[in-house]
DNA sequence: CAGTGAGCGAGCTTCCGCTTGACTT
């Protein structure tokens, strides 16, 4: 048996480290935390120094008993969890739960998984740092108290099953407030002047712009008119060098942002793919807030850059973290081997790997060098000067491999399409010919809505949440129904363009789409309702600086300058008082709004959140005649819907006639307007107003859809017409009655036999097999099905609950 | 004795951070 048992948090890490150490060491993983507060309300005794009740959750029982056994057999147990607050607590929980002995236990730490780093760590073991452990307990207890006292307030005052917490409630607040900022934003129009000049020589035309804009069309028109007779000349030429530095290698948050911008991945997808890369040994750990690279990594990157691009492209760089809450227990995210420019894996993994490789390599490369030229151009009839800028790259440096994308909101002042292109050779005093000049009406832009990734960025800036929780938090606030991620169509908007060419000024009106959104975060009515309630009654908790404030106190605890129970005492007493006070005195939260009076019935029209979501209602609850209801549609909210929009909702669903002796109904659903006929759904073509659909049009749409469905069928099996091969959205699949079957990779579609279909149908996990057989459980909840292996545990749990 | 108001029933939901599978859709 091994003399030494070394415990780390991640099994992939354990495997790597085992390779570095000799056979004297057995390396195992705790799979993160092994203990947590019990789920019940008595987990913390607030009257008795916040004494906690911990338990080993059922899915950790096996790990704990194995570690216990191995620890007993080992001479020395090395606790090698991460070097941060949570890691220290994991070590302490292991020490306590496994029943380790003080003299047989050593605590070690390392920030990078390299052989020298580990050997060095083993040479300098220490004891568990109980100040750090206490800081973690304070964090854990505070989060539980906040979450488990606030949530029940919401159940009572808003709706059951809702949740609130230090992190999620602030995330929702950010989205709600951004939405309000956008709603109250007034776009201001101004006219932007762009001129195209030429020097008289072929292919030597370029663009210049007036730095200032005109607020009024008249002013812009006057400028263009003044320019008809004007002469133009270069008054000033300035050339200056510019440099651009590469970004630091990825952290969890920056990886999520770039994968979102460049690859269109959700934050959850990014983490899933990164996890696979990590487990396959392609990249270092993906949950990190550090931009630091190990010495071996810096050397590895240097070797690769010298080999692939030459010395001129290399520059050794050390990065420092910007976010204050960072705990830096790991390295930055980087490829394990810089020599692998790419890997062979699933396409999603390859793309993410290449992104990580490029970013890490670029971070050790030299800066890109530019020469920027700014030319000022005088207009003889006006005082203003036009500006032309050109930029040429003198040396590409890191741009040879990597160029970071910009956020939408990094350029939100005014619509802009300044492209820095090449200028022809110019001289001061040189006169220029005007090819064309335009004055285009542009509008100031509202603040950008959050994407999942830009929300993560904001949370990180505020020090809220950790790398391991960004993705789950984003999921939670969507699962609770506080926010939705969706597309919005936007509205057309007219703008004017004045053009001066061939000596006269002409005006045209053009149309652009505004407010088009893709994959953005929008608050729901329930999200707004909960947020406003929390902001009104628990301002301190949903304050953007709350986390930063308590983090400072956690740091003091970690340094041994503060008692963790004192800190909690100071926080909890007033907080709990607010909870009690709110439960007792606060009104039920409601956002009911009266919109007006229905001209037909003379009854009031109002909007509110109902059992199944936001609704409009004509008539009052206590009327003799029952009120009429309609649900709000995608994009409509209680706060902003108008009387006219609300009344429109009652016009649908609408019958549009009969076809094949069945009624046709037009309505708007989750995916847009549709016709329902004989329990089948037919989408309306874009641009057709559902209110205008005639019987003839509806029949036409149904027939067209049927025809298209027929065209999708590749083959029908002779043995059974219910079985057919169809062309689907992602390629061919087999339709077998109500089952949709995947065709296994590499199968020749033409060679599929009916026997194959029967076999696949049998193997299909979704197959509607004999469900009723054998299952006699009284509570058919999701959990009972999922936890077959832990039947024992659930029985003990119910037993403890009874007492 | 009838009507009214208050309380109870009986079980559920929920936090944040650290880790992977094992599930279903």
């Amino acid at each position: 048996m091994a003399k030494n048992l070394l415990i780390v948090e991640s099994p992939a890490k354990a495997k790597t480290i085992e390779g570095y150490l000799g056979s004297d060491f057995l390396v195992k993983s705790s799979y993160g935390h092994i203990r947590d507060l019990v789920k019940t309300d008595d987990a913390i005794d607030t009257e008795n120094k916040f004494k906690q009740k911990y338990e080993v959750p059922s899915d950790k029982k096996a790990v704990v008993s194995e570690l216990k056994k191995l620890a007993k057999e080992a001479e020395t147990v090395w606790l090698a969890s991460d070097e941060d607050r949570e890691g220290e607590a994991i070590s302490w929980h292991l020490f306590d739960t496994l029943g380790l002995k003080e003299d047989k236990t050593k605590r070690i730490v390392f920030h990078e998984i390299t052989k020298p780093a580990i050997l060095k760590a083993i040479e300098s073991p220490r004891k568990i740092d109980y100040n750090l452990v206490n800081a973690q307990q304070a964090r854990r207890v505070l989060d539980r108290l906040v979450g488990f006292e606030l949530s029940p307030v919401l159940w009572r005052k808003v709706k059951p099953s809702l949740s609130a917490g230090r992190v999620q409630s602030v995330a929702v607040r950010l989205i709600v407030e951004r939405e309000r900022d956008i709603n109250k934003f007034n776009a201001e129009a101004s006219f932007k002047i762009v001129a195209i000049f030429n020097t008289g020589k072929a292919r030597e035309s370029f663009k210049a712009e007036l730095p200032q804009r005109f607020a009024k069309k008249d002013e812009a028109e006057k400028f263009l008119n003044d320019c008809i007779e004007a002469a133009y000349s270069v008054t000033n030429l300035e050339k200056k060098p510019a440099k651009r530095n590469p970004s630091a290698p990825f952290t969890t948050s920056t990886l999520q942002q770039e994968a979102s911008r460049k690859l269109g991945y959700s934050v959850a997808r990014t983490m899933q793919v990164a996890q696979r890369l990590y487990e396959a040994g392609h990249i270092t750990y993906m949950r990190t807030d550090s931009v630091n690279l190990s010495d071996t990594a810096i050397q590895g990157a240097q070797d690769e850059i010298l080999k692939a691009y030459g010395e001129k492209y290399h520059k050794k760089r050390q990065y420092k973290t910007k976010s204050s809450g960072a705990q830096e227990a790991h390295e930055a995210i980087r490829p394990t081997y810089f020599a692998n420019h790419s890997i062979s894996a699933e396409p999603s993994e390859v793309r993410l790997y290449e992104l990580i490789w490029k970013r890490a390599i670029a971070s050790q490369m030299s800066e890109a060098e530019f020469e920027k030229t700014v030319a000022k151009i005088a207009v003889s009839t006006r005082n203003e000067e036009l500006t032309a800028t050109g930029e040429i790259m003198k040396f590409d440096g890191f741009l040879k491999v990597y160029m970071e994308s910009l956020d939408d909101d990094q350029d939100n002042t005014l619509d802009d399409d300044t492209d820095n292109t090449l200028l022809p050779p110019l001289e001061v005093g040189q006169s220029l010919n005007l090819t064309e000049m335009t004055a285009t009406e542009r509008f100031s832009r509202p603040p950008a809505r959050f994407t999942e990734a830009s929300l993560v960025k904001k949370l990180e800036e505020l020090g809220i949440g950790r790398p391991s929780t960004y993705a789950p938090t984003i999921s939670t606030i969507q699962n609770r129904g506080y926010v939705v991620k969706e597309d919005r169509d936007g509205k057309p908007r007219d703008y004017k363009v004045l053009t001066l060419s061939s000596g006269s000024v002409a005006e045209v009106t053009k149309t652009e789409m505004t407010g088009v959104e893709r994959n953005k975060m929008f608050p729901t009515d329930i999200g707004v309702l909960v947020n406003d309630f929390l902001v009104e009654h628990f301002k301190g908790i949903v304050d953007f600086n709350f986390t930063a404030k308590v983090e400072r106190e956690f740091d003091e605890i970690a340094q041994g300058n503060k008692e963790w129970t004192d800190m909690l005492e100071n926080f909890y007493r007033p907080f709990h008082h607010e909870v009690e006070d709110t439960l007792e005195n606060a009104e039920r939260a409601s956002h009911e709004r009266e919109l007006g009076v229905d001209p037909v019935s003379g009854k009031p029209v109002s909007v509110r959140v109902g059992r199944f979501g936001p609704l409009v209602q004509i008539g009052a609850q206590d009327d003799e005649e029952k009120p009429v209801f309609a649900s709000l549609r995608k994009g409509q909210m209680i706060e902003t819907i108008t009387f006219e929009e609300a009344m429109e909702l009652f016009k649908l669903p609408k019958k549009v006639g009969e076809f094949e002796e069945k009624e046709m109904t037009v309505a708007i659903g989750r995916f847009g307007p549709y016709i329902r006929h004989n329990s089948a759904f037919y989408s309306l073509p874009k641009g057709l107003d559902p209110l205008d659909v005639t019987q003839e049009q509806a029949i036409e749409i149904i027939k067209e859809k049927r025809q298209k469905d027929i065209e999708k069928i590749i083959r029908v099996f002779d043995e059974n017409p219910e079985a057919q091969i169809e062309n689907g959205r992602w390629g061919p699949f087999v339709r077998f009655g109500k089952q949709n079957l995947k065709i296994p990779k590499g199968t020749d579609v033409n060679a599929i036999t009916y026997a194959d279909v029967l076999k696949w149908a049998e193997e299909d996990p979704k197959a509607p097999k004999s469900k009723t057989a054998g299952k006699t459980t009284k509570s058919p909840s999701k959990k009972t099905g999922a936890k077959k292996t832990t039947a024992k545990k659930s029985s003990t749990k119910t037993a403890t609950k009874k007492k």
Side-chain angles (χ1 to χ4, degrees), chain A residues 390-594:
Chain A
E391 194 176 67
I392 39 169
M393 186 153 53
K394 293 291 209 186
F395 175 61
D396 52 358
F398 77 94
L399 289 176
K400 197 169 194 74
V401 299
Y402 183 80
M403 164 86 115
E404 189 176 7
S405 302
L406 290 178
D407 271 345
D408 299 353
D409 59 353
Q410 276 175 279
D411 166 39
N412 66 350
T413 43
L414 284 167
D415 264 34
D416 220 338
D417 48 354
T418 18
D419 40 350
N420 286 325
T421 42
L422 231 50
L423 291 183
L426 296 172
E427 278 171 35
V428 174
Q430 178 179 356
S431 62
L432 299 164
N433 307 318
L434 180 70
T435 312
E436 186 189 85
M437 191 183 288
T438 54
T440 309
E441 188 177 19
R442 298 284 68 192
F443 299 89
S444 55
R445 280 197 276 177
R449 282 203 179 74
F450 286 110
T451 61
E452 286 189 352
S454 66
L455 181 62
V456 167
K457 183 181 177 185
K458 186 73 193 169
L459 288 173
E460 190 189 36
E461 281 168 12
L462 294 169
I464 298 171
R466 303 279 313 131
S468 69
T469 59
Y470 294 139
T473 300
I474 300 290
S475 301
T476 300
I477 60 176
Q478 292 179 66
N479 291 340
R480 296 270 174 277
Y482 295 152
V483 306
V484 285
K485 182 176 76 176
E486 58 187 28
D487 302 343
R488 295 280 166 90
D489 289 338
K491 285 183 209 134
R493 173 171 66 188
D494 286 348
Y495 67 100
K496 299 209 157 55
V497 183
L498 307 171
T499 307
L500 160 61
S501 70
S502 339
S504 67
V505 176
E507 179 184 327
V508 288
T509 300
K510 293 188 176 181
T511 305
E512 64 184 343
M513 292 303 287
T514 176
V516 180
E517 296 280 27
R518 232 193 101 254
N519 260 336
K520 292 286 163 54
M521 310 292 283
F522 294 85
T524 63
D525 284 295
I526 199 77
V528 171
L529 192 60
V530 166
N531 176 65
D532 290 357
F533 182 86
L534 292 175
V535 170
E536 184 181 346
H537 298 284
F538 299 96
K539 212 166 180 52
I541 305 294
V542 291
D543 190 292
F544 296 121
N545 294 316
F546 176 66
T547 291
K549 189 176 142 252
V550 293
E551 279 289 344
R552 280 196 293 275
E553 300 192 68
F554 296 151
D555 285 346
E556 283 185 59
I557 295 166
Q559 283 151 21
N561 296 331
K562 196 170 210 162
E563 278 290 322
W564 72 277
T565 48
D566 288 350
M567 184 245 158
L568 283 179
E569 206 75 52
N570 287 336
F571 162 74
Y572 182 70
R573 296 304 154 206
F575 168 69
H576 184 65
H577 179 78
E578 277 181 68
V579 169
E580 303 263 86
D581 183 63
T582 306
L583 280 173
E584 207 174 316
N585 300 320
E587 299 244 340
R588 264 194 81 81
S590 139
H591 269 179
E592 182 155 355
R593 213 157 64 85
E594 296 283 335

Side-chain angles (χ1 to χ4, degrees), chain A residues 734 736 739 741-742 744 747 752-765 767 769:
Chain A
V734 176
F736 183 60
Q739 270 174 283
L741 304 172
K742 227 189 251 175
T747 313
I752 296 168
T753 64
Y754 185 60
D756 289 331
V757 175
L758 288 179
K759 200 179 94 203
W760 296 337
E762 186 62 32
E763 290 166 358
D764 182 17
K769 278 185 220 158

Side-chain angles (χ1 to χ4, degrees), chain A residues 681-686 699-714 724-729 733 735:
Chain A
F681 297 84
Y682 303 88
S683 300
L684 289 189
K686 268 213 165 144
I699 294 171
E700 189 61 28
I701 288 163
I702 292 172
K703 282 183 176 167
E704 258 175 45
K705 168 84 171 8
R706 285 180 182 174
Q707 183 58 36
K708 273 188 188 156
D709 284 347
I710 291 168
E711 284 163 11
K712 278 196 281 189
I713 298 169
I714 301 173
Q724 44 191 250
I725 304 177
E726 266 183 41
N727 244 333
R729 171 83 176 71
F733 70 99
R735 187 190 295 279

